């Protein structure tokens, strides 16, 4: 961390010693802070104003002070702090549902979401999504195994607004993300002290406290501080706190006639339940119902009986693990944004961010399907992972005592622990010059240095009851060799199948040029970027060992442990990206645009680099994108509609066996997608509004006509023809429709709204063999503003207790339903209602 600290302090000191400070342009986004003389008491912007095409957007462009929304030739969605609260997001990732074409799978809990972007063939984690704070990416790679960037960012009252862009110019700026980037811009200090204090109680025993205050520090200096703390049992109650922790954020801003400097710091310490798939019954191809004894809306396998364990296979001799720590984050951030007007058409901008900490995972991961204890012990059914023991030879006992009924439904699941320590520092510097009236050229340099230190204990199959709040089971059996222990005294059938230690270091260097030319009603931009990613990853080699030397303790006879040697992989790639856009303003309230861009996706430490040798890493995924759009705003209507054609090449398929170990040659394929995104609102009369956010996607896989082999212990092995198959996990049609009505009173007003969400047919993986069906939900909200200082908010999600699926068992390729129709899947959480009372000053 010493190297990171030195770099960050150098950047901060250099900024502070500049002779003046300035309000300037932003690359991938930065706060457009008001000058000192206009820093009045903060006011909450209205939803109507937030939709105006006059709103300034700073993300994805190089214009000094940003661009008006009507001038942006790309898809951009914005939300004020109030609109963020109206969306009632379950997590940071869940907020992305407000952007057409983005679909976060938030059924896994507060963190670790899969984020799908229409036309981008992801299928897991978030490889095509970047989170920015004040315009700086949170980490050098958008995703790693057991990590995506929303996992280290929490929403609270310190967030002023968010800007979400897709494709287009993002391939050139910041980290060159080819997919989507959301930029969270923090609230800053005000000339008149202002802020808020709020308390929230939720039906899942949620208790939350939020606060924010902005204030003057000295002449032209302003500060702010805020954060939250909360605890919750969760809709799926694990018998301990599902979510517990908080966040603290502070900013310090200085304004002058020529510029602005903002320094900010944030500390996050939060732990969250990572929700595991539960059993359901599948009928036909896409009809699902409750499994006997399991409420699909509220139940979870997690419970006190399996909360605390000791994992003997963890690198270094074992480690205690706690489900209560979930998929948490303990991360510190320090960053700064500096803008300066040099005069004579020159502008300078610099942004840096330093962050680091632990992002650990303590969670269950699904394996094979459940079955009765008798079948589990004495048959060889692969779909339930049965043991095929001699009939009558075994004794099964609950941990803590008591015989297990032979008819008891049981299952074995992986109790995984992943320690992930991340460090990151990045800096984005740019210099702009107005070449002639209306034409500005910008040159920029983006540098990032980041590391990863991991220790994994994957596998650790625990035999447990197939019930809510499961109980672990121990098994012994007798054969000619004597008494054998199938499990240890915690119920573990093994001590891991992948117990690795790994260390990764990477540096990204990018240079970009952007020219923006305004000629009358035309706005034309052309930008290019050349980026190099130089990374290496060391992973310990594994040797199977009998840990206790006793052949009769079956659970530890062949445990893969680090043997003191390492596999070293070097990854060094350079790739250019470009974007070209044209916007024409038909009228003051109407514009059309077209855009083309090409970009590439670099490999990350865990996906593409680890497991491959130097020079034989996965090919770069490349995209070409063409899009066009129309924007219109009147007193009654707002419309932002776009159409696109996206093509990918270089996607990689790796066949694996039932344990997830690669067992065949890698193959490449591509995708081809066409679609439409729409964001529109209609206010036929004052205070009444109808809003629609949605997208239609016609996307399929391409560039591979062969039959891809796969291993499936549930439905049987085979091969899949993927050419023409629908993109995995991406609905063809998704939309949210929200009517709202505001009722004014002498003492304030009341806003009431409902949101109907429809998610169309979607599939589990690239084979298309496991359908996940479609579903719809109803949410609601009532917000009362009382006088100038009080706000009361009542909001609820999934009020009709809809049973909808976002994914099935991700470790099963192809059909995941067994012969009995049992499937492990992640359904939506049931009804959730919360009430907040807030005092604002």
């Amino acid at each position: 961390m010493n190297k990171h600290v030195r770099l960050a302090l150098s950047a901060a000191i250099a900024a502070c010693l500049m002779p003046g400070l300035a309000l300037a342009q932003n690359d991938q986004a930065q706060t457009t802070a008001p000058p000192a003389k206009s820093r009045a008491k903060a006011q909450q912007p209205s939803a109507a104003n937030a939709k105006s095409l006059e709103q300034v957007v700073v993300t994805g462009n190089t214009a000094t002070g940003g661009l008006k929304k009507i001038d942006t030739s790309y898809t951009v969605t914005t939300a004020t702090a109030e609109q963020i609260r109206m969306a009632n997001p379950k997590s940071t990732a869940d907020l992305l549902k407000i952007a057409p074409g983005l679909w976060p799978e938030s059924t896994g809990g507060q963190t670790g979401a899969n984020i799908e972007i229409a036309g981008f063939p992801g299928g897991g984690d978030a490889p095509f999504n970047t989170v920015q704070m004040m315009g700086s990416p949170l980490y050098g790679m958008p995703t790693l195994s057991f990590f995506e960037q929303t996992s280290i960012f929490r929403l609270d009252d310190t967030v002023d607004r968010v800007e979400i862009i897709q494709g287009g110019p993002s391939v050139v700026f910041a980290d060159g993300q080819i997919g989507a980037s959301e930029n969270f811009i923090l609230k800053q200090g005000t000339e008149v002290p202002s802020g808020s204090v709020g308390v929230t109680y939720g039906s899942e025993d949620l208790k939350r406290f939020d606060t924010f205050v902005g204030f003057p520090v000295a002449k032209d200096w302003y500060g702010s501080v805020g954060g939250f703390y909360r605890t919750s049992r969760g809709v799926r109650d694990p018998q301990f706190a599902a979510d517990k922790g908080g966040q603290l954020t502070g900013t310090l801003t200085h304004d002058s006639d020529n510029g602005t400097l903002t320094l900010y710091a944030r500390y996050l310490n939060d732990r969250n339940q990572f929700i595991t798939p539960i059993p359901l019954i599948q009928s036909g191809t896409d009809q699902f119902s409750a499994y006997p004894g399991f409420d699909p809306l509220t139940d979870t396998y997690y419970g006190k009986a399996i909360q605390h364990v000791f994992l003997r296979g963890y690198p270094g001799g074992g480690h205690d693990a706690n489900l209560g720590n979930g998929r948490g984050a303990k991360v510190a951030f320090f960053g700064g944004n500096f803008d300066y007007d040099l005069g004579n058409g020159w502008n300078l901008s610099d942004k840096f961010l330093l962050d680091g900490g632990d992002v650990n995972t303590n969670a269950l991961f699904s394996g094979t399907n459940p079955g009765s204890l008798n079948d589990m012990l004495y048959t060889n059914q692969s779909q339930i992972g049965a043991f095929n023991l001699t009939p009558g030879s075994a004794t099964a006992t609950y941990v803590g005592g008591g015989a297990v009924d032979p008819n008891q439904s049981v299952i074995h699941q992986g109790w995984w622990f992943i320690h992930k320590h991340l460090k990151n520092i990045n800096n984005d510097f740019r210099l702009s010059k107005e070449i002639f009236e209306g034409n500005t050229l910008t040159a920029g340099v983006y540098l990032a240095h980041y590391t990863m230190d991991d220790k994994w204990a994957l596998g650790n199959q625990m035999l447990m009851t197939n019930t809510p709040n499961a109980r672990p089971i121990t098994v012994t059996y007798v054969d000619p060799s004597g008494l054998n222990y199938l499990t240890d005294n915690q119920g573990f059938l093994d001590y891991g199948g992948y117990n690795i230690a790994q260390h990764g270091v990477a540096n990204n260097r990018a240079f970009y040029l952007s020219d923006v030319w305004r000629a009358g009603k035309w706005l034309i931009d052309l930008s290019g970027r050349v980026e190099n990613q130089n990374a290496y990853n060391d992973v310990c080699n594994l040797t199977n060992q009998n840990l206790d030397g006793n052949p009769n303790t079956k659970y530890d006879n062949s445990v893969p442990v680090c043997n003191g040697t390492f596999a070293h992989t070097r990854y060094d790639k350079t790739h250019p990206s470009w974007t070209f856009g044209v916007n024409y303003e038909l009228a003051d309230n109407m514009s059309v645009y077209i855009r083309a861009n090409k970009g590439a996706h670099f490999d990350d430490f865990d996906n593409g680099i680890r497991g491959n040798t130097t020079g034989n890493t996965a090919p770069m995924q490349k995209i070409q994108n063409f899009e066009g759009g129309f924007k219109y705003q009147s007193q009654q209507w707002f419309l932002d509609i776009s159409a696109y054609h996206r093509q990918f090449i270089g996607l990689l398929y790796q066949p694996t066996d039932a344990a997830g170990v690669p067992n065949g040659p890698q193959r490449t394929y591509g995708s081809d997608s066409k679609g439409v995104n729409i964001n529109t609102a209609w206010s036929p009369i004052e205070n009444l509004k109808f809003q629609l956010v949605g997208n239609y996607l016609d996307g399929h896989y391409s560039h591979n006509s062969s039959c891809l082999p796969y291993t499936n212990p549930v439905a049987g092995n085979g091969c899949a023809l993927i050419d023409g198959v629908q993109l995995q996990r991406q609905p063809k049609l998704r939309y949210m429709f929200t009517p709202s009505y505001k009722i004014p009173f002498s003492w304030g007003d009341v806003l009431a709204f409902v949101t109907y969400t429809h998610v169309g047919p979607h599939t589990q993986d690239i084979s298309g063999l496991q359908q996940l069906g479609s579903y719809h939900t109803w949410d609601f909200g009532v917000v009362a503003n009382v006088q100038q200082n009080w706000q009361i908010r009542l909001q609820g999600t999934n009020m009709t207790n809809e049973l909808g699926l976002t994914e099935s068992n991700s470790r099963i390729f192809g059909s995941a339903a067994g012969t009995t129709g049992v499937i492990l899947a992640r359904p939506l959480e049931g009804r959730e209602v919360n009430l907040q009372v807030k005092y604002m000053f």
Side-chain angles (χ1 to χ4, degrees):
M1 178 65 89
N2 289 338
K3 179 178 180 181
H4 291 72
V5 173
R6 288 196 301 270
L7 289 171
L9 291 177
S10 298
I13 292 169
C16 293
L17 291 177
M18 292 296 258
L21 306 170
L23 176 69
Q25 95 265 26
N26 283 281
D27 114 313
Q28 213 35 25
Q30 149 138 357
T31 302
T32 306
K37 60 185 178 182
S38 68
R39 283 185 179 272
K41 180 177 178 179
Q43 300 292 327
Q44 296 208 13
S46 69
N49 290 336
K51 282 298 181 186
S52 171
L53 292 179
E54 295 298 304
Q55 181 183 3
V56 173
V57 175
V58 296
T59 306
N61 64 78
T62 60
T64 300
L67 285 177
K68 288 192 287 188
K69 210 170 183 180
I70 195 171
D71 293 328
T72 55
S73 53
Y74 51 92
T75 300
V76 56
T77 302
T78 60
T80 64
E82 176 62 22
Q83 289 172 320
I84 291 172
R85 287 188 288 269
M86 284 182 62
N88 201 20
K90 291 179 176 291
S91 63
T92 303
D94 191 46
L95 175 65
L96 303 187
K97 64 190 178 185
I98 67 173
L102 268 64
W103 189 49
E105 298 176 4
S106 55
T107 54
Q110 283 278 314
T111 64
N114 300 313
I115 300 173
E116 305 299 338
I117 304 165
F120 287 82
D125 297 318
F128 305 120
N129 187 73
T130 291
V131 181
Q132 299 176 26
M133 181 162 53
M134 301 291 281
S136 293
L138 299 188
Y139 188 70
M141 293 170 173
T143 195
L144 300 169
S145 293
F146 311 105
F147 167 75
E148 45 78 33
Q149 291 185 12
T150 68
S151 295
I152 57 174
F153 191 93
R154 301 290 186 275
L155 298 171
D156 61 17
D157 286 346
T158 65
V159 174
D160 179 66
R161 70 185 190 274
V162 63
E163 297 175 354
I164 307 170
I165 65 172
Q166 299 179 49
S170 65
V171 302
V172 169
F173 304 117
D175 63 342
Q177 174 59 261
I178 63 177
S181 296
E182 53 273 9
N183 180 29
F184 292 94
I185 299 171
L186 300 176
K187 293 179 181 177
Q188 297 174 38
T190 51
E191 199 165 71
V192 178
S194 61
S196 62
V197 178
V199 292
T200 306
Y201 180 76
S203 55
E204 74 283 17
D205 198 27
L206 166 69
K207 301 180 183 72
R208 176 168 172 142
F209 174 79
D210 286 86
T211 187
F212 172 81
V213 60
F215 47 87
V217 176
K219 180 176 172 53
D220 297 334
W221 287 89
Y222 306 91
S224 72
V225 64
F228 78 92
Y229 181 82
R230 66 96 172 75
T231 181
S232 169
R233 304 286 288 190
V235 176
R236 302 187 184 277
D237 186 358
Q239 300 180 327
F240 46 80
D243 302 296
K244 187 174 183 179
Q247 180 172 264
L248 183 66
T249 305
T251 71
L252 180 64
T253 302
H254 178 57
D255 293 327
S256 75
D257 292 338
N258 292 330
T260 299
L261 168 70
T262 298
L263 300 176
Y264 58 93
R266 169 174 283 201
Y267 179 69
L268 169 67
N269 187 352
D270 196 31
R271 55 184 189 266
N272 317 98
Q273 179 184 191
F274 184 65
I275 299 172
T276 301
I278 61 171
L280 296 164
I281 300 296
Q282 177 175 337
S283 303
T285 58
D286 58 2
Q287 298 297 315
F288 306 94
S289 58
Y291 180 89
F294 250 98
D295 187 327
L297 301 167
T298 61
D299 283 340
T300 177
Y301 282 110
Y302 290 25
K304 282 188 172 297
I306 58 174
Q307 179 182 355
H308 297 279
V309 297
F310 182 76
L311 303 177
R312 286 285 308 279
Y314 181 84
H319 198 280
D320 290 313
N322 179 3
L323 277 181
N325 291 332
R327 192 163 184 169
K330 187 181 293 185
V331 184
F333 303 85
F334 175 64
N337 290 4
F338 172 70
D339 296 288
Y340 187 71
D341 185 351
L342 297 166
N344 296 319
W346 289 92
N347 284 278
L348 177 151
S349 176
D350 188 78
K351 295 185 294 294
F352 75 89
L353 177 61
L354 164 70
D355 55 80
D358 295 330
V359 190
N360 295 341
T361 296
N362 300 259
L364 298 182
F365 285 83
S366 302
T368 49
N369 283 349
S372 71
L373 175 65
N374 195 71
D375 286 342
M376 186 71 72
L377 293 175
Y378 302 125
T379 71
N380 63 353
Q381 299 179 50
S382 62
Q383 65 178 300
I384 66 173
F387 310 132
N388 200 26
L389 302 177
T390 303
S393 64
T395 300
T397 307
Y398 290 115
V399 173
V404 184
D405 188 324
N407 297 313
Q408 171 66 52
S409 181
V410 299
I411 192 171
H412 47 90
Q413 302 198 74
W415 207 124
W416 293 12
F417 175 62
I418 299 95
H419 169 68
K420 185 174 291 289
H421 185 73
L422 305 177
K423 296 178 184 178
N424 170 77
I425 184 170
N426 56 62
N427 192 91
D428 198 340
F429 173 85
R430 67 170 51 176
L431 189 64
S432 297
K433 169 63 176 167
E434 186 177 23
I435 306 301
F436 55 85
E437 185 176 358
N439 185 281
T440 300
L441 180 66
T442 299
V445 176
Y446 171 78
L447 302 173
H449 173 76
Y450 46 100
T451 65
M452 172 201 69
D453 286 282
D454 282 16
K455 289 185 178 180
W456 295 10
L458 274 54
N460 303 303
Q461 292 291 308
M462 175 182 278
L463 182 63
M464 62 184 71
T465 58
N466 183 43
T467 60
N469 309 128
R471 299 177 61 186
I473 297 170
T474 64
V475 174
T476 60
Y477 67 95
V478 177
D479 69 7
S481 67
L483 180 64
N484 295 274
Y485 295 83
L486 187 66
T487 71
D488 74 354
N489 60 359
Q490 303 174 97
F492 283 120
L493 292 159
D494 64 60
Y495 283 158
Y498 199 54
N499 300 317
I500 64 167
Q502 63 174 342
H503 172 69
V505 176
N507 294 284
N508 283 51
R509 297 178 292 271
F511 173 76
Y512 57 88
L513 282 174
S514 178
D515 188 79
V516 179
W517 184 19
R518 184 182 293 274
K521 294 182 178 294
W522 296 89
L523 185 66
I524 303 169
D525 68 87
L526 175 63
S527 305
R529 173 190 185 99
V530 176
E531 181 172 9
N532 170 261
Q533 178 173 294
N534 189 329
Y536 71 81
N537 197 31
D538 289 329
V539 184
C540 73
N541 295 312
L542 301 174
T543 299
N544 290 337
Q545 292 185 13
N546 185 327
L547 293 189
D548 65 3
N550 183 354
N552 288 0
T553 53
K554 304 300 183 182
Y555 49 81
D556 71 348
N557 282 356
S558 185
V559 180
V561 297
C562 295
N563 62 17
T565 67
F566 289 83
H568 178 85
T569 304
R570 183 70 177 265
Y571 179 84
D572 191 347
K573 297 283 188 179
T574 300
H575 194 272
S577 300
W578 61 265
T579 183
F580 173 70
V582 178
N583 189 84
Y584 182 72
E585 193 171 318
L586 299 168
D588 290 343
N589 65 337
M590 188 187 318
S591 66
V592 294
Y593 69 87
I594 58 172
R595 179 169 293 278
N597 65 270
K598 280 192 174 184
H601 177 74
F602 290 100
D603 290 346
D604 64 62
F605 292 130
D606 292 320
N607 301 284
I609 299 179
R610 175 172 50 84
N612 291 305
T613 57
T614 299
N616 192 38
T617 52
M620 294 189 71
Q621 300 173 24
K622 300 178 183 180
I623 182 178
Q624 67 176 15
N625 174 61
F626 302 94
E627 59 185 298
F630 173 74
K631 300 174 184 178
Y632 172 77
Q633 174 98 41
S634 69
Q635 187 173 357
Q636 293 183 321
W637 279 98
F638 168 81
L639 176 63
D640 186 346
I641 186 170
S642 62
Y644 58 82
H645 182 198
R646 294 166 178 163
Q647 295 172 300
F648 265 85
I649 59 172
L651 301 172
L652 189 68
Y653 173 74
Q654 174 67 70
T656 61
D657 62 20
V661 178
N663 65 353
Q666 297 176 340
R667 309 187 189 196
T668 60
Y669 61 100
S671 70
D672 191 294
S673 301
K674 304 176 183 69
V676 177
N677 292 333
I678 184 169
N679 188 350
T680 185
W682 177 46
S683 298
I685 60 174
E686 187 178 5
N687 296 324
L688 177 65
K689 179 188 285 187
F690 301 94
Q691 183 173 357
L692 177 69
V693 175
N695 72 280
Y696 174 78
L697 169 66
D698 178 16
H700 62 271
Y701 296 111
S702 62
H703 297 85
N704 193 315
S705 58
S706 65
C707 199
L708 303 182
Y710 62 84
T711 300
N712 185 320
V714 171
N717 302 339
C719 70
L721 294 167
I722 66 168
D723 197 71
V725 172
Q726 176 186 350
L727 296 188
Q728 67 182 117
R729 311 277 268 276
Q730 299 196 27
K732 289 187 174 181
L733 177 67
R734 185 189 76 92
Y735 61 86
M736 297 190 305
F737 177 63
T738 305
S740 63
Y741 188 70
K742 181 185 288 186
I743 309 171
F745 295 96
S746 60
W747 46 262
D749 58 66
V750 174
L751 174 69
F753 59 92
V754 295
T755 298
Y756 174 83
T757 301
H758 172 80
V759 174
H762 50 294
T763 65
Q764 169 61 28
D765 56 38
I766 64 174
S767 73
L769 297 174
Q770 179 59 60
Q771 298 289 321
L772 298 175
S774 62
Y775 63 85
H776 62 269
T777 60
W778 288 93
D779 306 331
F780 87 98
V782 179
V783 182
N785 294 298
V786 183
Q787 300 299 334
Q788 295 295 315
N789 301 107
W790 291 95
Q791 185 181 80
I792 302 171
R793 176 185 301 272
L794 180 68
Q795 291 189 221
T797 57
N798 196 12
M799 297 306 294
T800 57
N801 279 327
E802 176 78 357
L803 176 56
L805 303 188
T806 63
E807 66 173 298
S808 63
N809 187 345
S810 60
R811 270 150 295 284
I812 301 294
F813 188 93
S815 175
T819 56
T820 59
V822 179
I823 182 175
L824 296 172
R826 275 180 173 162
L828 304 176
E829 291 180 326
R831 182 186 301 113
E832 182 179 14
V833 179
N834 59 71
L835 173 68
Q836 183 185 68
V837 178
K838 178 177 288 187
Y839 178 76
M840 299 171 289
F841 59 91

